[in-house]
Amino acid sequence: MSNQKKRNFQIEAFKHRVVVDPKYADKTWQILDRAIHQIYNQDASGLSFEELYRNAYNMVLHKFGDKLYTGFIATMTAHLKDKSKLIEAAQGGSFLEELNKKWNEHNKALEMIRDILMYMDRTYIESTKKPHVHPMGLSLWRDNVVHSPKIHARLLNTLLDLVHKERTGEVIDRGLVRNVTKMFMDLGESVYRDDFEKPFLDASSEFYKVESMEFIEACDCGDYLKKAEKRLTEEIDRVGHYLDGKSEDKITSVVEKEMIANHMQRLVHMENSGLVTMLLNDKYEDLGRMYNLFRRVTSGLATVRDVMTSHLREMGKQLVTDPEKSKDPVEFVQRLLDERDKYDKIISTAFGNDKTFQNASNSSFEYFINLNARSPEFISLFVDDKLRKGLKGIADADVEVVLDKVMMLFRYLQEKDVFEKYYKQHLAKRLLSGKTVSDDAEKSLIVKLKTECGYQFTSKLEGMFTDMKTSEDTMRGFYGSHPELSEGPTLIVQVLTTGSWPTQPAVPCNLPAEVSVLCEKFRSYYLGTHTGRRLSWQTNMGTADIKAIFGKGQKHELNVSTFQMCVLMLFNNSDRLSYKEIEQATEIPAPDLKRCLQSLACVKGKNVIKKEPMSKDIGEEDLFSVNDKFTSKFYKVKIGTVVAQKETEPEKQETRQRVEEDRKPQIEAAIVRIMKSRKILDHNNIIAEVTKQLQPRFLANPTEIKKRIESLIERDFLERDNTDRKLYRYLA
Amino acid sequence: MRRSGAAASKKKSDSITSSATDLFRSASSKATTKEMDRIDHLFNQYANSSSNLIDPEGIEELCSNLDVPHTDIRILMLAWKMKSEKQGYFTQEEWRRGLKALRADTLSKLKKSLPELEKEVRRQLNFADFYAYAFRYCLTEEKQKSIDIETICQLLEIVMGSTFRPQVDYFVDYLKIQNDYKVINMDQWMGFYRFCNEISFPEMTEYNPELAWPLVLDNFVEWIREKQA
């Protein structure tokens, strides 16, 4: 029957018979209270841990956890108040020591107390969510000692005072301060921060503000930076020794701000010691220090970079626009290379190869090199000089270094096509006069140009080399098939493919009979093997070696130009000739003839011809005869070589004009290429695209581009859109 | 007369067999034919009998009869209306086209139609077309694409002189003293028209040489600015 009724089965907890005796609680507490006193009085040796623990345990068990907790707090508070008074009473230096001592004691005591009250910690406090014993103990220390009105300010000031002392050179007890700051940290990060760190930073800020003002009035830039660096190192050191690690960034920010950021402009621009002076005098150490310090502050490096850039641009501008400096092209370029090396070294040694500085330097060089319109010509002349004589006897590796440096300058040029034109002219002269120091060096440079600018840039130049080689073979073939000619004058012909070589108009000139016979023989030989070609003699580009015997029997071998040879050979048949007679006989055009006669008659040491009257200029009435009194130390006398020189004004104009003319079809080709693929494009975009396409060769002028567009419209390659006049359309 | 009479009677006989609409058509076509006759008659008065074209001499006579100077823009407008191709000559077809459009079959009607014609041409949409036409009209040789400066100056005077006086004066002055261009092409010609219509003068604040304006105008504007400075 009982089974049918459903009953809830309950298992009842086994209960102690609890003795709820209020007196019991009081008695137990008394024991514990006394124990705490003893612990604090360093008199704990006689205590039994087990007993105390049990007592605390029982209190909690019998529901007196509350009493235990509040009692603990009250007792500890009272003790701490006492301790506080003792600390306050300490004089001078012993203040900190006393504090430290008491803190250590408190920690030890707290530990023991916590162990005793462990059960309460784990049960009562857990369930009531009150602060645990240990943290409570720390809070009580904080509230009753650290924040006690008589201690709080004094503690802080003592610490700050010590820091200040150390900063001014005194030695302090670092260990002691370490303990105190550690105490702050143990009390909580916010305590460290608010009660120590923030005031510390403020005081530091004040200190460095004052110090930086003093320094900057008294020191030059380099010294100031040394001092700043020293202070920075010190502070980092300080943190390591007695501050919390997290303070490092904060204190360094303070130093950076007060010592560097606030005085950036003044330092950089300091007269006779600032950045510009350092750059001019290659002060690598100072520059390096400035770099390292300034990079710590916002826009520090930007400031340095900007000042460097504007200085470089200004200096570069003066360098290239100074007429004195542009007198000698080789000097001019050498100066540029020297500056480039200098800044390279500065950036790699002092600025850690910082890319932004490299870029700033490059853009500055690009800016001022292009300010002088003759830069392309001068760089080519520099190369010419090196390839003629400058690289003589220099090892291959060093040659490469020089050429690479030249390429660096080349890259800065905006008008690369102008360089090409001059380079071609100068190369032609070098090749034809046989005056190049090293074929390998020439070829190496061509390869570098090809890598930089593409095949089209160098194909003609390579053609020139090929022609020279082919001509050698042709000459061998010629003399091979005409053995009878080995007796007479030796002819050396270079056959130049028009189009590869710089265009020169063929100048008329009557060659002496012996020579013209040879030339004709060569012509028929050549055309025999190359039908369909046309040869025209470039008499203004040739040279001749002639043996001469003068009046007193002096024998000399004269190295002259073709024109000069024609003139000199005339004197084999006449003793005296007038200008007009010479002109008629040679058919050389007047300006060339005048120049030629001047070089033969008016140059000291080379005057193989006498002129009447003895004036400097060639007049149409002048009379010429052989200078029988001619002497020279050397057997071989060189009169008139075709050396590359800086162009005269009219020549410069002509070259510039030819360059402009050459650009027109290039611009048009670019326009057509772009329009062919885009079909329709608006004006501004065409200009931008064309400029971009042509940039490796030259900087295209928007007005010139516009002119070309109009020309293309006229020739029905393009048309304007009917509705939108900004658009152009490609006409297939 | 005879010719046309035969034509008329022919037409008449054709229309006998048609319906009412045809009657109407025949009536209007009769009128049209009569009109065409008069137009042709007028043509013959000025045409050169051997070439069957009105030549420059004929045009001069026409002008004096219309009481219009023969460099007047209205003759050019008349040519435009006729879609005349060759400067100085009107073909019969062109004559017919023009006068029919103007509904003028007598000299006096033609004279009266001129003001109306002028109004029509000056309408914005037509004027651009007329302006371009004026240029093409001056191209006398077959492959010619440009007109010499002197003719351009005269043409500008005629075509734009009354509406854009200051621009024309300045531009003509400029063209005469500059050396960059000896002729003007259609693109540049049209550019000037846009210039007059879009750019305030003489302030020219809206003008931007970086846009697609023809270079000759860029130079022109720069020249004026230099003078103003």
Side-chain angles (χ1 to χ4, degrees), chain A residues 683 706-707 710 714 716 720, chain B residues 185 187 212-215 218:
Chain A
H683 183 83
K706 207 189 220 189
K707 256 197 209 153
E710 290 190 2
E714 223 175 304
D716 293 325
R720 279 189 214 273
Chain B
N185 62 32
D187 185 54
W213 292 102
L215 202 55
D218 290 346

Side-chain angles (χ1 to χ4, degrees), chain A residues 503-686:
Chain A
T503 39
Q504 299 257 9
V507 182
C509 165
N510 268 345
L511 298 169
E514 310 93 310
V515 180
S516 61
V517 155
L518 255 185
C519 291
E520 270 319 300
K521 283 215 164 80
F522 177 83
R523 182 199 289 278
S524 35
Y525 167 78
Y526 185 83
L527 293 177
T529 40
H530 300 97
T531 45
R533 290 193 186 175
R534 234 172 18 148
L535 290 178
S536 53
W537 295 103
Q538 302 282 122
T539 47
N540 52 340
M541 287 166 90
T543 54
D545 294 332
I546 33 184
K547 289 201 173 77
I549 306 177
F550 290 88
K552 302 244 171 72
Q554 318 95 297
K555 291 199 182 134
H556 288 285
E557 186 178 295
L558 307 173
N559 174 250
V560 295
S561 71
T562 306
F563 287 166
Q564 288 164 336
M565 170 194 70
C566 298
V567 170
L568 289 174
M569 297 290 281
L570 292 176
F571 289 97
N572 276 341
N573 300 323
S574 315
D575 282 333
R576 263 168 130 227
L577 290 164
S578 69
Y579 174 84
K580 286 254 162 55
E581 289 173 310
I582 298 179
E583 196 180 23
Q584 245 180 340
T586 59
E587 286 186 28
I588 295 172
D592 297 293
L593 182 58
K594 288 201 174 130
R595 253 207 306 263
C596 166
L597 285 168
Q598 229 171 0
S599 61
L600 288 170
C602 307
V603 178
K604 192 159 163 224
K606 313 264 170 121
N607 49 336
V608 289
I609 298 286
K610 260 194 323 216
K611 181 170 90 81
E612 286 156 38
M614 297 260 280
S615 52
K616 232 183 10 161
D617 296 313
I618 307 291
E620 307 232 335
E621 309 300 318
D622 290 355
L623 291 168
F624 298 87
S625 52
V626 176
N627 180 10
D628 278 316
K629 297 218 198 81
F630 175 76
T631 52
S632 169
K633 268 198 297 186
F634 305 102
Y635 172 63
K636 288 197 184 172
V637 182
K638 201 154 64 169
I639 308 179
T641 36
V642 194
V643 182
Q645 275 162 354
K646 197 171 81 155
E647 281 189 327
T648 59
E649 257 317 299
E651 284 175 334
K652 195 175 76 164
Q653 298 287 7
E654 211 196 303
T655 309
R656 169 62 48 174
Q657 222 169 332
R658 268 188 270 152
V659 168
E660 294 295 338
E661 278 307 309
D662 283 346
R663 285 181 182 175
K664 287 185 184 165
Q666 290 177 62
I667 297 177
E668 288 194 357
I671 296 172
V672 170
R673 238 193 329 266
I674 291 166
M675 287 308 292
K676 199 163 176 186
S677 76
R678 309 286 224 103
K679 303 284 187 246
I680 299 187
L681 198 56
D682 73 285
H683 183 83
N684 284 336
N685 273 322
I686 287 194

